[in-house]
């Protein structure tokens, strides 16, 4: 017997991808519900061969389901996740609302699976930021072996990280550049077509953005608070797929061949690292794929025990929807989803 599952935010990019991946991995679903705001009632979304109509979050009885996957705004999650959790199901939340709550586990299954054991404190599990998710999958095995002292990360984040509006803006601006000139920016602060924007989120007093702070805070929570981590987040004119240039300094001596072999053997990772003009991964090639890809592994001779990496993943999948489904699979494997008797 499968679970009764609700996907909240089912009409968004990540919500639709959650539905796709639940079906792709054959997650044991007895009944699926697509939940959205009142304006989306009746909108049709697909789940495998089924077409299901969205139901109103205000009217839905969450006590009737076992598991809820949620991809909504942080403010919406702050209001609704506790209500849903109190009704009984475990909520896997993709927003930033609960990630740093000490009573809410922040999970990447390849990194800290045992933290699911305290999901019952609030019946909420947090999904990390899309850029953090792929980063920590690559960092965890290296940290366990060589102990990371310091990390310098620059991201190259696709417009899908800003939702459908971001994707539409890149498409429209790119098309219009060749006609009447690029349309004025709306979703992004500056033109994104044929450009890069070294700003994602909002500025903090220290000059960093909240997107950058998310990456170090979440890495500290999931791996080790002693890692020194500095980040620059950049939006690039790519539809889907985030990339990261990662410079690492370790406490212990590191050999690049050993690091490459270690990454090859680690869960959730594929190493594509040949020293020719096509021997590396790009976001276009990662689109639609499950793993995190690591390329350009090489020693950094400017520091003691230094290493450089190039890390790429589909941000709608491993960065969001796939990780949420993998958390659901982890809960299933450990018998932590409490099923209600069917009416």
């Amino acid at each position: 017997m499968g679970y009764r599952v609700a996907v909240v935010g089912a009409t968004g990019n990540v919500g639709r991808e959650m539905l796709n991946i639940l079906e792709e991995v054959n997650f044991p679903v007895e009944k699926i519900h697509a939940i959205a705001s009142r304006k989306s009632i009746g909108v049709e979304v697909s789940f495998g061969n089924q077409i299901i109509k969205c139901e109103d979050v205000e009217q839905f009885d969450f006590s009737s389901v076992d598991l809820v996957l949620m991809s909504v705004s942080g403010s919406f999650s702050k209001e609704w996740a506790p209500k849903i959790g109190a009704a009984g199901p475990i909520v896997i939340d993709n927003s930033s609302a609960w990630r740093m709550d000490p009573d809410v586990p922040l999970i990447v299954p390849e990194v800290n699976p045992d933290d699911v054991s305290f999901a019952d404190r609030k019946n909420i599990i947090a999904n990390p930021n899309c850029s953090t998710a792929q980063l920590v999958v690559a960092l965890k095995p290296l940290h366990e072996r060589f102990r990371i002292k310091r990390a310098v990360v620059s991201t190259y984040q696709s417009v899908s990280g800003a939702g459908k509006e971001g994707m539409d803006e890149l498409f429209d601006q790119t098309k219009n550049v060749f006609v009447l000139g690029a349309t004025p920016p709306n979703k992004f602060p500056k033109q994104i077509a044929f450009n890069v924007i070294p700003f994602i989120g909002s500025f903090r007093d220290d000059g960093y953005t909240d997107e950058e702070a998310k990456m170090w805070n979440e890495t500290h929570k999931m791996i080790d608070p002693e890692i020194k981590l500095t980040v620059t987040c950049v939006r690039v004119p790519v539809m889907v797929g985030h990339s990261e240039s990662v410079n690492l300094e370790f406490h212990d001596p590191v050999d690049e061949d050993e690091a490459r072999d270690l990454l090859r053997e680690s869960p959730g990772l594929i190493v594509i690292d040949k020293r020719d003009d096509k021997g590396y991964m790009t976001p276009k090639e990662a689109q639609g794929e499950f793993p995190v890809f690591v390329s350009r592994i090489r020693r950094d001779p400017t520091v003691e025990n230094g290493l450089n990496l190039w890390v790429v993943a589909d941000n709608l999948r491993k960065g969001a929807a796939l990780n949420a489904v993998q958390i659901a699979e982890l809960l299933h494997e450990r018998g932590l989803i409490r099923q209600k008797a069917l009416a």
Side-chain angles (χ1 to χ4, degrees):
M1 187 175 68
Y3 301 106
R4 287 168 293 180
V5 180
V7 175
V8 179
T11 60
N13 286 344
V14 174
R16 290 175 186 269
E17 200 71 3
M18 286 173 171
L19 290 165
N20 290 338
I21 295 172
L22 283 166
E23 193 274 333
E24 281 182 49
V25 303
N26 294 315
F27 187 78
V29 174
E30 176 77 21
K31 174 72 173 175
I32 191 78
H33 298 272
I35 312 297
S37 62
R38 184 160 295 172
K39 67 181 180 181
S40 295
I41 296 175
V43 171
E44 294 183 340
V45 295
S46 61
F47 176 71
N49 295 324
Q50 300 178 48
I51 299 297
I52 53 179
K53 292 185 177 181
C54 287
E55 302 172 68
D56 180 11
V57 67
E58 301 273 357
Q59 302 298 320
F60 187 74
D61 178 12
F62 284 100
S63 69
S64 68
V65 295
D66 309 307
L67 183 68
V68 174
L69 277 63
M70 181 180 289
S71 182
V72 294
S73 69
S75 58
F76 187 97
S77 178
K78 274 289 188 186
E79 177 185 356
W80 278 92
K83 295 179 185 177
I84 296 170
I90 294 179
V91 180
I92 302 172
D93 179 53
N94 195 57
S95 79
S96 61
W98 302 98
R99 292 173 187 159
M100 299 313 296
D101 187 311
D103 289 325
V104 173
L106 177 66
I107 302 288
V108 172
E110 299 93 336
V111 174
N112 60 333
D114 291 343
D115 286 357
V116 293
S117 62
F118 64 93
D120 59 355
R121 292 181 184 175
K122 289 188 175 179
N123 267 8
I124 302 171
I125 298 174
N127 221 18
N129 184 21
C130 48
S131 294
T132 309
Q134 67 188 67
L135 177 67
V136 294
V137 172
L139 294 191
K140 180 62 183 298
L142 295 173
H143 183 62
E144 287 188 338
R145 172 62 184 85
F146 306 110
R147 295 190 306 132
I148 298 169
K149 179 180 180 181
R150 181 172 183 261
V152 180
V153 180
S154 296
T155 72
Y156 303 75
Q157 295 178 226
S158 67
V159 294
S160 59
K164 185 178 182 297
E165 291 178 348
M167 299 174 78
D168 289 345
E169 187 157 308
L170 173 59
F171 179 81
D172 291 339
Q173 283 185 350
T174 303
K175 179 178 61 177
N176 292 333
V177 160
F178 298 102
V179 185
L180 299 173
T183 50
N186 181 36
K187 180 64 176 178
F188 302 113
K190 296 193 177 188
Q191 178 181 316
I192 186 60
F194 302 96
N195 199 16
V196 298
I197 302 172
F199 169 79
I200 301 175
S202 58
F203 275 117
R204 302 170 2 136
D205 291 342
D206 60 4
Y208 287 89
T209 67
D210 57 355
E211 182 82 358
E212 292 157 351
K214 287 174 192 175
M215 290 189 67
W216 67 66
N217 286 330
E218 294 169 19
T219 300
H220 288 160
K221 182 173 180 178
M222 285 186 285
I223 298 182
D224 188 343
E226 296 301 315
I227 296 173
K228 296 178 180 178
L229 181 62
T230 184
V231 184
T232 301
C233 289
V234 183
R235 187 75 71 190
V236 296
V238 170
M239 279 293 182
V240 176
H242 288 356
S243 307
E244 296 166 351
S245 173
V246 183
N247 176 260
L248 300 171
E249 183 180 356
F250 298 92
H251 288 282
D252 301 331
V254 59
D255 175 81
E256 68 179 62
D257 290 329
E258 183 181 357
R260 191 177 291 108
D261 290 342
L262 179 64
L263 291 168
R264 281 198 179 107
E265 296 166 1
S266 299
L269 287 170
I270 290 182
V271 173
I272 307 289
D273 190 29
K274 296 180 180 178
R275 291 181 178 173
D276 61 50
D277 60 0
K278 295 181 180 178
Y280 49 85
M281 202 64 177
T282 67
K284 179 63 177 176
E285 296 160 297
Q287 187 173 345
E289 300 291 338
F290 279 14
V292 174
F293 297 89
V294 182
S295 305
R296 302 296 315 280
I297 303 166
R298 62 207 187 276
R299 187 176 68 89
D300 177 3
T302 67
V303 295
E304 188 176 11
N305 306 329
L307 196 71
N308 288 299
L309 310 172
W310 175 250
V311 181
V312 182
D314 183 325
N315 57 293
L316 297 180
R317 294 207 146 204
K318 186 54 187 171
L322 172 62
N323 198 73
V325 174
Q326 288 174 322
I327 293 170
E329 291 180 309
L330 181 63
L331 291 167
H332 168 61
E333 290 164 7
R334 300 199 178 191
L336 296 174
I337 303 174
R338 296 184 296 275
Q339 287 181 280
K340 301 172 185 66
L342 287 171

